[in-house]
Amino acid sequence: MSDWLYSDTVKDHFTNPRNVLLEDESNFDYDAKGQTGNIKCGDQMLMLLKIENDIITDVRWKTYGCASAIASTSMLSDTIKGMNIEEAYKIKPEDLVAKLGGLPSFKVHCSVLGDKALRNAINDYLEKTGRPGIFVDATTVICHCLGITDKDIENAFTNGARNWEQLQQATKIGTVCGSCKEKAVELLHGFEHIYGN
């Protein structure tokens, strides 16, 4: 395709996604489950992890997302195998975008689904093993529909989001009910004062 906007790595992970939860794997024996996104806006992600001694030994995932979401989650699933859960918890969307050789700016928000589902799965595992909240930074959820926090907005700001439209491009915030817009825009203005333009 002459108008393909993605790197060869993205194309490979989109057309040959790794570790996808297949229909015949409905009995995949997992230790942790994480889900994020909202089917109303078309993006939803499920992640299942097998963990031994805090090491991720296997992973399966499923999404209703687009090519960018599929490719970034495929890359994430390969990356975290054999990784300690604390190290995996710290993976950021921009790490995945870099590994993929970049994504179009209007598709970067799709890469947040996988890492959010991963953190939810790790939190699920920590809860089950009696260690809830040990990796969690103090965050405030701003967009309750999609679970977007003040840290996600700060991260988007440091990566160039300066207005509501750019913040939506980076995070998908406000694409379900929109009630978070006022608080999110306030935070953007606050980060302008902290970081400058």
Side-chain angles (χ1 to χ4, degrees):
M1 278 190 259
S2 60
D3 57 350
W4 182 259
L5 299 172
Y6 302 97
S7 70
D8 288 342
T9 307
V10 172
K11 185 176 182 180
D12 178 37
H13 277 272
F14 170 61
T15 56
N16 303 294
R18 282 64 152 178
N19 308 302
V20 175
L21 181 66
L22 302 173
E23 293 302 322
D24 62 355
E25 289 184 305
S26 57
N27 60 349
F28 179 74
D29 184 27
Y30 60 89
D31 300 297
K33 177 181 178 179
Q35 195 162 330
T36 193
N38 193 307
I39 201 65
K40 290 179 188 172
C41 67
D43 289 333
Q44 193 171 43
M45 179 75 63
L46 169 70
M47 186 161 292
L48 306 173
L49 304 175
K50 282 189 181 180
I51 302 172
E52 290 177 26
N53 299 318
D54 287 354
I55 302 296
I56 298 169
T57 59
D58 206 357
V59 57
R60 292 291 183 277
W61 59 274
K62 193 171 196 172
T63 187
Y64 296 107
C66 64
S68 298
I70 290 167
S72 60
T73 309
S74 174
M75 176 62 80
L76 175 65
S77 70
D78 262 359
T79 302
I80 62 174
K81 277 189 181 179
M83 193 177 273
N84 181 281
I85 58 173
E86 184 171 8
E87 188 183 356
Y89 197 89
K90 295 175 182 174
I91 291 175
K92 293 181 168 38
E94 56 264 31
D95 301 330
L96 301 173
V97 170
K99 281 178 173 282
L100 289 167
L103 287 173
S105 60
F106 62 92
K107 283 295 186 180
V108 170
H109 69 267
C110 300
S111 66
V112 306
L113 284 175
D115 78 297
K116 281 185 169 300
L118 171 63
R119 286 198 302 271
N120 288 344
I122 292 171
N123 285 335
D124 177 55
Y125 176 74
L126 291 171
E127 184 79 34
K128 288 175 179 174
T129 57
R131 302 175 288 165
I134 64 171
F135 301 151
V136 178
D137 295 329
T139 59
T140 303
V141 175
I142 305 300
C143 173
H144 291 277
C145 296
L146 296 175
I148 296 166
T149 68
D150 54 345
K151 293 286 185 191
D152 296 319
I153 294 171
E154 181 177 12
N155 188 49
F157 181 88
T158 59
N159 285 299
R162 295 295 183 269
N163 57 44
W164 176 247
E165 291 75 23
Q166 291 170 343
L167 184 61
Q168 282 191 304
Q169 252 186 5
T171 65
K172 274 207 150 196
I173 191 168
T175 55
V176 180
C177 79
S179 65
C180 54
K181 182 176 180 178
E182 185 179 343
K183 182 64 177 170
V185 171
E186 281 176 23
L187 278 171
L188 277 181
H189 291 316
F191 292 134
E192 280 177 18
H193 292 294
I194 294 169
Y195 294 105
N197 285 322

